[in-house]
Amino acid sequence: MKKFFIAPSILSANFAKLGEDIKSVLIAGGDLIHFDVMDNHYVPNLTLGPMVLKSLRDDNIIAPIDVHLMARPVDDLILKFAESGASFITFHPETSDHIDKTLNLIRKCGCKVGIGLNPSTPLNILDYIMDKLDLILLMGVNPGFSGQKFIPSMLNKLHHIREKIDSLFPNILLSVDGGVNGNNISDLVIAGVDIFVIGSFIFSSRNYLKVITNIRQNINKTYNNIINL
């Protein structure tokens, strides 16, 4: 059975009880934590810094954490978040003056390497960097705020990324972030997604276990239907 990952996005969590909320969502079945970093320059919002990540690690949260950097300049932040306990570090090519250098810096820091693509970012940028990637993250919305609706045309873009991965570097994980919910989860499985970043759909519920269990059941059911065709 193929491994799928549910990544609760803590941008939608209760910040007054952040550590407690994260532990609850992990107990309920979340596989890794998606940690959005926004600087109010690259995207129009201001969120979390490396001290928050360190405090979560100090609070015995040991699950993998994908730090999604939507900020520039990015290299100094990579060093700080790696020191604070990031597992993956994902950045957007528009935030780096030298993309290859930034990719190598993440690897040198001991973290898994991710690249984030906005809805309008052309896919040909992947042709020159895929050999350095562990993760490709496609935004299903324009980045900046949680609770947005998934852009339908991103399904086609996911299919194209999946084809690139399968033909060149099949160990790369394909992640989608933004507007993921129970209504489109099956379409995302069909498009070849490995990691489902889900924020408000989980955290707006009073029962994380029920929501995550239903999501996982839908993922597995859709995948079983695909392989049995």
Side-chain angles (χ1 to χ4, degrees), residues 133-135 162 165 169-173:
L133 299 178
D134 299 296
L135 171 71
R162 183 79 258 170
I165 290 173
F169 297 96
N171 290 329
I172 294 176
L173 295 170

Side-chain angles (χ1 to χ4, degrees), residues 153-190:
S153 60
M154 292 304 101
L155 283 174
N156 188 49
K157 199 166 187 177
L158 284 167
H159 280 286
H160 285 302
I161 298 172
R162 183 79 258 170
E163 290 174 358
K164 282 179 173 287
I165 290 173
D166 289 344
S167 64
L168 297 170
F169 297 96
N171 290 329
I172 294 176
L173 295 170
L174 176 56
S175 179
V176 64
D177 177 13
V180 180
N181 58 50
N183 294 324
N184 58 22
I185 201 79
S186 293
D187 290 334
L188 297 172
V189 175
I190 294 169

Side-chain angles (χ1 to χ4, degrees), residues 75-96:
D75 287 2
D76 186 53
L77 287 173
I78 287 169
L79 295 170
K80 291 177 180 178
F81 277 100
E83 291 173 356
S84 298
S87 309
F88 291 79
I89 295 181
T90 299
F91 74 100
H92 291 254
E94 300 88 351
T95 66
S96 172

Side-chain angles (χ1 to χ4, degrees), residues 19-36:
E20 179 182 335
D21 219 13
I22 291 173
K23 289 176 182 178
S24 295
V25 82
L26 290 170
I27 291 171
D31 297 298
L32 59 98
I33 293 300
H34 190 82
F35 190 104
D36 283 315

Side-chain angles (χ1 to χ4, degrees), residues 108-198:
K108 184 177 179 180
C109 288
C111 298
K112 298 288 187 180
V113 182
I115 198 77
L117 304 178
N118 290 332
S120 61
T121 304
L123 293 185
N124 60 6
I125 195 169
L126 296 174
D127 295 341
Y128 306 98
I129 61 174
M130 286 184 71
D131 60 319
K132 293 182 168 65
L133 299 178
D134 299 296
L135 171 71
I136 297 172
L137 170 69
L138 178 66
M139 297 301 300
V141 301
N142 291 303
F145 296 94
S146 62
Q148 299 183 68
K149 291 185 178 180
F150 184 84
I151 300 171
S153 60
M154 292 304 101
L155 283 174
N156 188 49
K157 199 166 187 177
L158 284 167
H159 280 286
H160 285 302
I161 298 172
R162 183 79 258 170
E163 290 174 358
K164 282 179 173 287
I165 290 173
D166 289 344
S167 64
L168 297 170
F169 297 96
N171 290 329
I172 294 176
L173 295 170
L174 176 56
S175 179
V176 64
D177 177 13
V180 180
N181 58 50
N183 294 324
N184 58 22
I185 201 79
S186 293
D187 290 334
L188 297 172
V189 175
I190 294 169
V193 171
D194 301 298
I195 301 175
F196 303 85
V197 178
I198 309 175

Side-chain angles (χ1 to χ4, degrees), residues 44-82:
N45 202 352
L46 186 64
T47 58
L48 305 166
M51 288 188 294
V52 177
L53 176 58
K54 185 178 185 303
S55 70
L56 296 177
R57 290 305 195 197
D58 290 343
D59 196 30
N60 295 316
I61 292 174
I62 61 174
I65 296 178
D66 178 20
V67 172
H68 178 194
L69 296 176
M70 291 169 278
R72 62 180 174 215
V74 75
D75 287 2
D76 186 53
L77 287 173
I78 287 169
L79 295 170
K80 291 177 180 178
F81 277 100

